[in-house]
Amino acid sequence: QVQLQQWGAGLLKPSETLSLSCAVSGGSFSDDYWSWIRQSPGKGLEWIGEINQSGSTNYNPSLKSRVALSLDTSKNQFSLNVSSVTAADTAVYYCARVVSVFGVVLQPFDSWGQGTLVTVAS
Amino acid sequence: QSVLTQPPSASGTPGQRVSISCSESSSDIESNYVHWYQQLPGMAPTLLIFKNSQRPSGVPARFSGSKSGTSASLAISGLQSEDEADYYCATWDDSLGAWVFGGGTKLTVL
């Protein structure tokens, strides 16, 4: 069973860059997509974007201009950067796996990281 | 653009059967699979139903999913107190090229 362990800075000032990483254990990147999802306090889930081993990415259009995803196969981890953060980016951020084979999604978000609360405040 | 609409709340008593709906204004549900997630208080979400009606291993059979046209439903039979959680539907939005989630339904077991 794949396990995801995430980490990163939890307190940022407005205009700074949010950086989170997620380590994958118990499996490899294979054909899967690796996603980031966030949840503002008391709110629902918002998908941020995803990346696969080939470097192919998909982004939420509402965040695309500020988001960058990367993946390091040698370290078995993937990362999220969100630039120019504001208070509206305050949320719990989750990493998650989308199980895919030859580009066909089998099970979206079947494994999740533990979540990282990121607070943006001056 | 896909908008998945869920009722904000639902409730039932132990042993009852409850259903949570997920409807869409465009045709993404009709053409794409719907998936369901359970989020227990203070926890990360977990996959409950994928591809409209399939259960991952370990998910009890009292959880079931269905889809018809532009609507999908999650049904929970034999409701238990530990089912009290938030439930989210999700699908792929072809026009956005993005995953979209419903607003979530808070299930209360009375």
Side-chain angles (χ1 to χ4, degrees), chain A residues 39 47 50 94 106 108-109 112, chain B residues 35 37 39 45 50 88 98-99:
Chain A
Q39 186 170 34
W47 180 77
E50 63 185 5
Y94 295 100
L106 301 180
F109 316 127
W112 294 67
Chain B
H35 318 279
Y37 300 86
Q39 186 176 32
F50 66 99
Y88 294 90
W99 290 100

Side-chain angles (χ1 to χ4, degrees), chain B residues 41-94:
Chain B
M43 303 293 287
T46 59
L47 179 63
L48 196 60
I49 297 287
F50 66 99
K51 290 187 174 180
N52 302 333
S53 59
Q54 297 188 48
R55 287 187 310 277
S57 59
V59 173
R62 56 196 189 80
F63 291 92
S64 62
S66 63
K67 191 188 85 168
S68 178
T70 58
S71 290
S73 289
L74 170 71
I76 309 172
S77 59
L79 196 62
Q80 300 180 4
S81 58
E82 56 260 40
D83 298 332
E84 190 160 285
D86 294 324
Y87 293 85
Y88 294 90
C89 59
T91 193
W92 177 260
D93 184 317
D94 289 321

Side-chain angles (χ1 to χ4, degrees), chain A residues 36-115:
Chain A
W36 291 93
I37 295 160
R38 70 181 184 180
Q39 186 170 34
S40 300
K43 302 296 185 183
L45 302 170
E46 179 181 32
W47 180 77
I48 299 170
E50 63 185 5
I51 186 170
N52 71 0
Q53 185 173 221
S54 302
S56 176
T57 54
N58 294 303
Y59 293 108
N60 185 326
S62 68
L63 297 167
K64 184 175 183 177
S65 63
R66 297 191 296 124
V67 171
L69 300 182
S70 61
L71 186 151
D72 187 334
T73 55
S74 65
K75 294 182 179 179
N76 245 31
Q77 67 185 50
F78 60 105
S79 299
L80 166 72
N81 278 1
V82 181
S83 62
S84 305
V85 297
T86 69
D89 295 308
T90 293
V92 175
Y93 287 74
Y94 295 100
C95 56
R97 179 179 73 164
V98 176
V99 179
S100 306
V101 175
F102 300 120
V104 176
V105 173
L106 301 180
Q107 291 191 24
F109 316 127
D110 75 318
S111 300
W112 294 67
Q114 78 276 19

Side-chain angles (χ1 to χ4, degrees), chain B residues 8-12 18 20 76 79 83-87 105-109:
Chain B
S9 64
S11 63
V18 297
I20 296 171
I76 309 172
L79 196 62
D83 298 332
E84 190 160 285
D86 294 324
Y87 293 85
T105 299
K106 184 176 184 59
L107 175 63
T108 300
V109 180

